Amino acid sequence: MSDTVTLALQGEVTLDAFSRAVLHFSRLVDALSSDVAAPEALRWVITELEAGSAIMTARGVGDPVAAASVSTAYIGVGKALERGDPSSLPEGVRDEARAIVAVIDDSVEAVRFETAEADATIRSLEEAFATSGTPEAPPPQPVAYGGVTGRVQTLSSRGGLRFTLYDTLFDRAVSCYLAEGQEEIMRDVWGRMAVVEGLVTRDRVTGRPQVIRDVRGVTVVREADPDAYLASRGILQPDPAGRSPEEAIRELRSV
């Protein structure tokens, strides 16, 4: 049961786009909260803010059932926009969702709605708010068991365990979700290079990993010693005894 909501902007995100997305993300969550619970039943707190990758995560504090309902409604909004069918959304929710998607431009490639259980990626305002005809559902994001190598950059254990991995291949943040009771596998992993294994969701256009759910394992990768080259000092110096390399090798073989 998810009690978090995450919004991610993909691409080269400007400060203006990020600030507008944050504003309407907050208003969207407030609107969804008002629909499922009394305003005083929930308080949404930021648990992660990855400005470099334009990812923000909020967790519902208070009534856990209400928080889960908002999380479910939130991903429902994302799925509706992903398939270009926002007509089922309440007007206030639809307006805030439209304002979020409106930040997509030449720099912001896409917007991703994400919870611990699902995610939805929207690539244009026109596709999300199709006004004529029956919207055609986009092909699903590829999901398969696999592993992603990167550095564990952010680790949050408040209200469930979610962490961010910076993929070394694409240099992008990947959201990772542990199954309940797996906290122990994250011991002493923060800030280290690791291979995270689980169900990997990839962007259907770029192939970049976006989310890893049902994490099965986290294996720390041994990093190369940056000073290892110092061990090679002197290997090109002449032999003090004046021997040629061939003579030195023959002497070693005869020992």
Side-chain angles (χ1 to χ4, degrees):
M1 185 170 64
S2 174
D3 61 356
T4 63
V5 291
T6 296
L7 180 69
L9 308 184
Q10 299 175 198
E12 297 296 326
V13 182
T14 64
L15 177 60
D16 176 64
F18 185 72
S19 62
R20 284 187 287 129
V22 170
L23 173 63
H24 294 290
F25 173 61
S26 174
R27 290 178 176 176
L28 173 62
V29 173
D30 285 344
L32 293 172
S33 299
S34 297
D35 286 345
V36 303
E40 65 274 8
L42 277 176
R43 181 169 59 93
W44 291 90
V45 298
I46 296 295
T47 56
E48 291 185 40
L49 183 60
E50 296 287 340
S53 295
I55 298 176
M56 60 204 94
T57 297
R59 182 174 66 89
V61 177
D63 184 345
V65 175
S69 297
V70 173
S71 180
T72 299
Y74 175 79
I75 197 60
V77 172
K79 290 294 186 182
L81 300 182
E82 186 179 48
R83 63 176 180 267
D85 184 22
S87 59
S88 61
L89 303 176
E91 183 178 359
V93 169
R94 186 169 61 247
D95 290 345
E96 298 303 334
R98 183 185 184 92
I100 291 174
V101 177
V103 305
I104 298 174
D105 56 17
D106 293 338
S107 297
V108 180
E109 302 168 357
V111 169
R112 187 171 77 249
F113 289 68
E114 177 190 313
T115 70
E117 297 171 348
D119 55 270
T121 300
I122 299 93
R123 298 190 176 279
S124 77
L125 182 65
E126 293 73 22
E127 290 179 5
F129 288 85
T131 57
S132 63
T134 301
E136 182 179 349
Q141 303 278 70
V143 180
Y145 185 84
V148 178
T149 301
R151 190 174 299 279
V152 178
Q153 191 73 17
T154 305
L155 183 62
S156 173
S157 60
R158 299 185 60 186
L161 200 50
R162 176 190 185 279
F163 64 95
T164 300
L165 182 80
Y166 270 83
D167 171 32
T168 54
L169 181 59
F170 294 100
D171 192 28
R172 290 290 188 272
V174 180
S175 300
C176 304
Y177 293 90
L178 288 169
E180 187 176 353
Q182 287 188 309
E183 294 84 356
E184 187 64 25
I185 69 174
M186 296 304 296
R187 181 185 295 273
D188 300 325
V189 177
W190 183 84
R192 304 180 70 178
M193 291 291 295
V195 178
V196 178
E197 299 176 68
L199 292 177
V200 183
T201 301
R202 295 183 179 274
D203 185 285
R204 63 176 174 269
V205 174
T206 66
R208 292 196 300 255
Q210 293 182 323
V211 185
I212 306 176
R213 293 188 176 85
D214 193 18
V215 172
R216 309 285 179 83
V218 179
T219 305
V220 174
V221 176
R222 183 177 178 181
E223 298 185 61
D225 182 357
D227 296 325
Y229 74 95
L230 295 176
S232 65
R233 288 181 301 183
I235 61 173
L236 297 180
Q237 293 180 358
D239 182 83
R243 298 171 298 180
S244 68
E246 293 79 5
E247 291 172 334
I249 291 172
R250 284 197 295 271
E251 289 185 18
L252 288 172
R253 288 176 175 173
S254 64
V255 174

